[in-house]
Amino acid sequence: MDKLLKQFPTSEHFILIKFFHNLRLKEFSSLQPLARKLVQTETQNKQVFQYWPILVSILFAHADPKMALKLHLPLASKQLIRQAENSQILNHDEFSLLLSVFVRLGDYESVLNYLNSSLLSKLQEADKKNYDSQKLQCYYHLDKWSEAFLLCKNLLQATPDEWTVFKTLLRMVFKKTNGQLSISLDRFNEFQTFLVNLKETSNSRGLMLTLLDIHANLEMVDSPVTVQFPPALPLLTEYLRSFLKFPVCSQDIAFLIPFLHQKPESIRNILSSNLTDARAAYNPVGVLA
């Protein structure tokens, strides 16, 4: 192959064969020159190949985590910034690559800036793509409660069973520092008001788990908190009766643990009666002989 490359140094076909051969061997140091050669070839794939040196930098980051944040990912980010400034990011795949590098760097401020940029606006004009989850991730890591809460309200009103959205808000209300759980009362009160209003129109699994999760967290927090929704045990009964017939519900028994020391007999009775009801309601299609 090396002889063929010397004979045909600009052959896209032979460069690609050599590139993937070295990639399988994990010879990352030889990939960057090959990727640059592909960029220089006159081919219809030129737009794609211009990202290959960047992808090689990302591969280096995976292969050498110690140097990833010091060298490889910053190099990839500089290359991508140059692409963005030169208006060479033309689709959502390329834009997502840009975001992913900054996420790996932990630079959520830059991610958010790009999500609010004119670059994305232009891409959205040609092809709409939803970036709400990426925005929410940024708000969480940057601790932007107001923005996160507004976005989550909109998302939950559209999809009230989206557990990941509930979970993000829970993590912003309850925070663990040095093994100690704390609560932001202002955030909790705002979140609680929204949940109470949401429960009037929805009884989704995600909402019920969130209310149970709040009770579990409050057991580990010293601050006095006024709860406006039902106590833990009635909620647990309601939840089990509604969702125990679904297989995934069996994984939610973990929510019982914080309450076991309170009223173990009540917990046992709730479980016993609801498990019996669920078993009676289960009607298998057939039984193996």
Side-chain angles (χ1 to χ4, degrees), residues 61 67-78 80-81 98-108 110-111:
M67 293 300 294
L69 294 176
K70 294 180 180 179
L71 177 63
H72 305 307
L73 290 176
L75 176 61
S77 69
K78 288 178 182 178
L80 284 163
I81 289 171
L98 169 71
L99 297 184
S100 70
V101 169
F102 283 105
V103 167
R104 286 185 173 95
L105 284 167
D107 187 357
Y108 290 96
S110 292
V111 176

Side-chain angles (χ1 to χ4, degrees), residues 203 208 237-246 249 274:
N203 204 25
M208 297 290 288
T237 303
E238 181 184 354
Y239 175 74
L240 290 172
R241 285 176 178 168
S242 300
F243 300 103
L244 194 61
K245 60 185 176 182
F246 299 104
C249 188
N274 283 283

